[in-house]
Amino acid sequence: MSVLGSGMDSERQVWDLPVRLCHWTLVAAVAGAWLTHALGINYFVYHVWCGYAVLVLVTFRIVWGIVGTRHARFWNFLRAPRPTARYGWDLLRGRVTHYAGHNPLGAWMVLLLLLALFAQALLGLFGNDEIYNLGPLNGYVSYDRGIELTSLHRRLFYWIVAAITLHVAAILYHRIAHKEHLVRAMITGRKSAAVVPDSETIPSSQIVAAVLIVIALAGVLVWVVQHAPAAQNFDSFN
Amino acid sequence: MKLLKSGSTCTMLLGLVLSLTAAAQNAPPPGGPPPGAMGPMPSPADRAIEYRQALYTLVGGNFGPIGAILQGKAEYNAADVSKRAERVAFLATMAEDAFPEISRDGKTKAKPEIWTNKEGFAKALKAFQDSSANLAAVVKQDNTNSAAFKAAAGKVGEACKGCHDDFRAK
């Protein structure tokens, strides 16, 4: 790939490895969750596994947004509504400001997608397909509440598809209209030195910290799932 | 489910008194049910819907444990599986009579497409009947947790899902 050959000096690191790995495994987990749904009710076990992956990845990314490297932190990229609106207005008039990290609109999409995927994975844990598949935490809720949460899980999917479409469309727009290689940056972690001042480059990916956080979050999830009460079966009337 | 066991007689009496009072307050208009009746009589449509829902409660109650075996959540119990597989296959034959035109409107998740797309619905219903009959036959021939059993039971689940997707409101 020409990416690596484009000169190390002219590019600077902005996305740490955990952010990039988290992003692309999240893409795979969400795609897998959709696929295992589409394949039918006998692939439910794998659907649940994809949901677990989404849950761990999203909670990791939220924690990483607090303790992670410079451009991974929420308060380093989320901007107030007014500057965000100004950025959007400028964009409409063909003027783009380049950011080392997320641009203001992209930043809010990051937060929106994370929260939506978190809610979606959480809802799925309580699901009931009314045939024979039950989410691992369905036993915590009544039968009717389980059906309600499943209905929300079903409907939220379409909103997530809309948000992902917008996210991808925005990246295509930046690629075509402003020649910004955002996908490449999310793979290599590097952006052109022209948009990344030396002071904004990140020195390290803090991989050990990231691995420890993921292990801890996965452990919590395993504990919660294993301690969930058994769901009420259809014919357990006593 | 545990209400009858754990609920005290006192609570039950209170409930009875309250419901009678409520019935008295919502006195039906003249020509309605006689005084003292517990609410209005169910209409023929209500009864047809109730009949259908009872049938599918039985289907779910008998197929659910088979699903639990499919997912490895329950042990394969030969006597139980053959009993339930036969029941589901039998209940499936009743399903074709559970959708009279009269049961179209009311408190039901049955979609109007059942009656507007009769051909499609007949196909979905036949998938349920065929797959459940096949499951009963597979279990009769080899009553073990075999690959054939899993495939046959999975096909029933797919038939359930196929019909729910197209003909049942979410």
Side-chain angles (χ1 to χ4, degrees):
Chain A
M1 287 209 312
S2 64
V3 176
L4 293 174
S6 61
M8 293 305 218
D9 299 343
S10 61
E11 290 196 332
R12 293 196 174 114
Q13 193 79 16
V14 286
W15 305 127
D16 60 45
L17 184 65
V19 161
R20 288 176 279 146
L21 266 180
C22 182
H23 179 273
W24 295 112
T25 45
L26 191 56
V27 171
V30 170
W34 170 78
L35 183 70
T36 48
H37 165 79
L39 283 173
I41 68 167
N42 295 316
Y43 291 81
F44 181 74
V45 180
Y46 308 106
H47 185 71
V48 174
W49 278 103
C50 290
Y52 288 154
V54 170
L55 210 51
V56 169
L57 289 165
V58 167
T59 47
F60 163 76
R61 185 61 188 86
I62 290 168
V63 172
W64 204 239
I66 299 163
V67 306
T69 62
R70 182 185 182 112
H71 300 289
R73 295 193 184 197
F74 292 124
W75 47 77
N76 284 343
F77 65 70
L78 287 177
R79 282 168 181 81
R82 195 178 287 270
T84 307
R86 194 177 307 125
Y87 172 82
W89 176 242
D90 284 349
L91 209 59
L92 284 178
R93 295 162 66 194
R95 288 192 315 226
V96 68
T97 318
H98 297 279
Y99 287 82
H102 294 293
N103 70 58
L105 280 175
W108 287 107
M109 181 56 94
V110 170
L111 191 67
L112 179 74
L113 276 169
L114 286 175
L115 293 178
L117 289 174
F118 180 69
Q120 181 70 341
L122 211 56
L123 286 168
L125 295 177
F126 299 93
N128 176 357
D129 74 350
E130 297 181 87
I131 297 170
Y132 48 52
N133 292 315
L134 295 168
L137 303 190
N138 181 265
Y140 276 118
V141 296
S142 69
Y143 187 89
D144 289 346
R145 180 55 54 82
I147 303 300
E148 272 171 34
L149 296 176
T150 308
S151 178
L152 286 175
H153 185 65
R154 186 181 293 119
R155 281 179 282 164
L156 183 54
F157 168 75
Y158 297 100
W159 291 97
I160 289 173
V161 170
I164 291 174
T165 306
L166 197 57
H167 176 64
V168 172
I171 285 156
L172 279 175
Y173 166 78
H174 281 275
R175 173 73 184 82
I176 294 162
H178 303 291
K179 308 270 179 286
E180 285 184 281
H181 298 264
L182 299 179
V183 174
R184 192 179 72 188
M186 192 46 76
I187 294 170
T188 65
R190 303 171 78 85
K191 281 188 182 178
S192 161
V195 299
V196 185
D198 193 35
S199 61
E200 292 214 6
T201 190
I202 57 166
S204 137
S205 275
Q206 298 185 359
I207 292 165
V208 177
V211 169
L212 290 177
I213 292 168
V214 169
I215 289 172
L217 290 169
V220 170
L221 180 63
V222 168
W223 189 90
V224 169
V225 167
Q226 286 191 341
H227 286 75
Q232 208 183 354
N233 210 327
F234 289 99
D235 68 343
S236 58
F237 299 119
N238 36 36
Chain B
M1 309 301 162
K2 285 183 178 166
L3 193 69
L4 286 176
K5 265 189 208 163
S6 58
S8 67
T9 321
C10 189
T11 324
M12 284 172 62
L13 278 176
L14 183 66
L16 187 65
V17 170
L18 282 176
S19 54
L20 282 175
T21 320
Q25 278 168 350
N26 303 326
M38 301 284 282
M41 295 286 288
S43 67
D46 290 342
R47 291 174 59 192
I49 290 167
E50 199 181 330
Y51 178 90
R52 173 166 66 236
Q53 290 175 345
L55 175 65
Y56 278 93
T57 300
L58 292 175
V59 171
N62 282 287
F63 191 55
I66 292 177
I69 296 167
L70 270 190
Q71 297 173 335
K73 285 181 188 165
E75 292 291 314
Y76 190 97
N77 177 324
D80 195 58
V81 170
S82 74
K83 182 175 79 179
R84 293 186 185 283
E86 277 175 28
R87 283 179 187 169
V88 173
F90 176 69
L91 291 165
T93 65
M94 295 178 74
E96 64 190 35
D97 303 318
F99 295 87
E101 192 89 37
I102 193 177
S103 68
R104 182 170 165 167
D105 301 312
K107 203 168 173 292
T108 175
K109 287 182 175 174
K111 279 187 172 179
E113 280 81 351
I114 291 169
W115 296 277
T116 56
N117 176 12
K118 287 195 168 136
E119 202 178 316
F121 182 66
K123 220 170 133 188
L125 203 106
K126 191 162 186 314
F128 175 33
Q129 294 175 334
D130 290 352
S131 62
S132 57
N134 178 55
L135 173 63
V138 165
V139 168
K140 195 162 197 171
Q141 198 170 43
D142 174 15
N143 194 353
T144 64
N145 196 358
S146 62
F149 159 76
K150 284 178 187 145
K155 282 268 181 280
V156 179
E158 279 169 9
C160 296
K161 177 76 160 55
C163 196
H164 286 189
D165 281 351
D166 295 341
F167 298 105
R168 185 171 188 253
K170 311 223 164 46

